[in-house]
């Protein structure tokens, strides 16, 4: 309750308390990306994160690792992140990851977040997806990227041309893919993957994303579905805000749109 006359500064302070996502801050717009293993963020959205950095945004990666306290591991992850213009937070458990994401969401007020798709064969990625959805629920734009275990249920509707940032992406991946490295994070596969999805955006080099506005639910929810959802079950809320300063993030219109 506020009584007249209302002091403008008191009103702004009250709005910031009630509507924290409308708060302003002096720093650049923020972006958070979370993965399940080294190299997966870079493979799934490394080009887009480099584009964010080029636009002047503050980018932070959150990466769980069993050797989170190992200085050599941390140094390698930091070097890879530097190729994208990003900082990195290394966590040691699912609980640590949830706490880190919650803290980043509160302190940075990110406008964008990237997380693994729930349409994945691996339980660890589905778990990180669920943790990130909960911790980053207030982030206006959530984008789910394809990972090494992404299933045929992955249904992207955003296709970002990252041709201008492939060098940064490949440079980051090179830190994770040494001799005998995981082929799913190899630079060669990254190029093939980007070109495969390029058919949806002028045959360029593309990163695909699911825009998480309620259309894409957790895999466990889909598994329990007895049939196609009724049209009346579609969410009525508008899609998340997609900023104009990052062209290429506009979602495609539905196939049956007029």
């Amino acid at each position: 309750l506020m009584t007249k006359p209302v002091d403008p500064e008191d009103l702004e302070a009250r709005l910031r308390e009630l509507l924290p996502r409308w708060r302003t801050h002096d720093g650049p717009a923020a972006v958070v990306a979370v993965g399940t293993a080294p190299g997966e963020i870079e493979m799934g959205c490394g080009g887009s994160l480099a584009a964010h950095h080029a636009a002047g945004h503050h980018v932070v990666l959150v990466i769980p690792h069993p050797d989170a306290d190992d200085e050599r591991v941390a140094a390698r992850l930091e070097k890879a992140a530097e190729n994208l213009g990003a900082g990195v937070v290394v966590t040691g458990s699912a609980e640590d990851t949830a706490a880190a994401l919650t803290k980043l969401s509160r302190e940075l007020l990110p406008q964008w977040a990237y997380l693994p798709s729930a349409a994945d064969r691996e339980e660890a990625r589905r778990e990180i997806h669920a943790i990130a959805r909960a911790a980053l629920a207030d982030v206006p734009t959530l984008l789910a990227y394809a990972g090494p275990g992404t299933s045929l249920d992955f249904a992207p509707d955003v296709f970002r041309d990252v041709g201008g940032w492939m060098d940064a992406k490949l440079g980051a991946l090179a830190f994770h893919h040494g001799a005998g490295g995981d082929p799913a994070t190899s630079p060669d596969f990254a190029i093939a993957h980007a070109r495969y999805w390029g058919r949806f955006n002028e045959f360029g080099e593309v990163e695909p994303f699911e825009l998480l506005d309620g259309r894409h639910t957790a895999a466990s929810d889909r598994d329990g579905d007895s049939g196609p959802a009724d049209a009346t079950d579609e969410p009525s809320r508008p899609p998340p805000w997609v900023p104009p300063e990052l062209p290429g993030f506009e979602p495609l219109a539905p196939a049956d749109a007029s």
Side-chain angles (χ1 to χ4, degrees), residues 23-198:
R23 286 184 290 177
T24 59
H25 55 86
D26 297 331
V31 184
V32 173
V34 60
T36 56
E40 292 189 6
I41 294 175
E42 292 88 337
M43 175 61 75
C45 58
S48 296
L49 296 178
H52 278 289
H53 172 67
H57 301 160
H58 180 48
V59 182
V60 179
L61 314 185
V62 179
I63 305 173
H65 198 286
D67 298 321
D69 296 328
D70 190 320
E71 292 183 0
R72 293 172 299 177
V73 169
R76 176 167 56 85
L77 296 177
E78 288 173 2
K79 287 291 186 182
E82 285 174 5
N83 270 266
L84 307 177
V88 63
V89 176
V90 185
T91 59
S93 66
E95 292 77 12
D96 291 343
T97 301
L101 290 173
T102 299
K103 183 177 181 180
L104 288 170
S105 180
R106 290 175 178 171
E107 294 184 356
L108 296 183
L109 304 180
Q111 291 293 325
W112 305 268
Y114 296 81
L115 59 155
S117 172
D120 199 281
R121 298 185 298 273
E122 297 293 331
E123 182 179 355
R125 294 190 192 93
R126 298 195 300 270
E127 180 183 15
I128 288 294
H129 176 94
I131 288 172
R133 287 293 291 270
L136 303 171
D138 290 335
V139 176
T141 301
L142 291 175
L143 294 159
Y145 60 82
T150 298
S151 71
L152 294 176
D153 289 329
F154 179 65
D157 40 16
V158 176
F159 302 91
R160 169 68 171 164
D161 187 336
V162 295
W165 298 279
M166 283 297 289
D167 286 347
K169 175 173 179 149
L170 298 177
L173 284 168
F175 282 93
H176 301 299
H177 191 76
D182 185 353
T185 57
S186 73
D188 286 344
F189 181 71
I191 295 171
H193 184 264
R195 290 177 178 171
Y196 169 81
W197 288 105

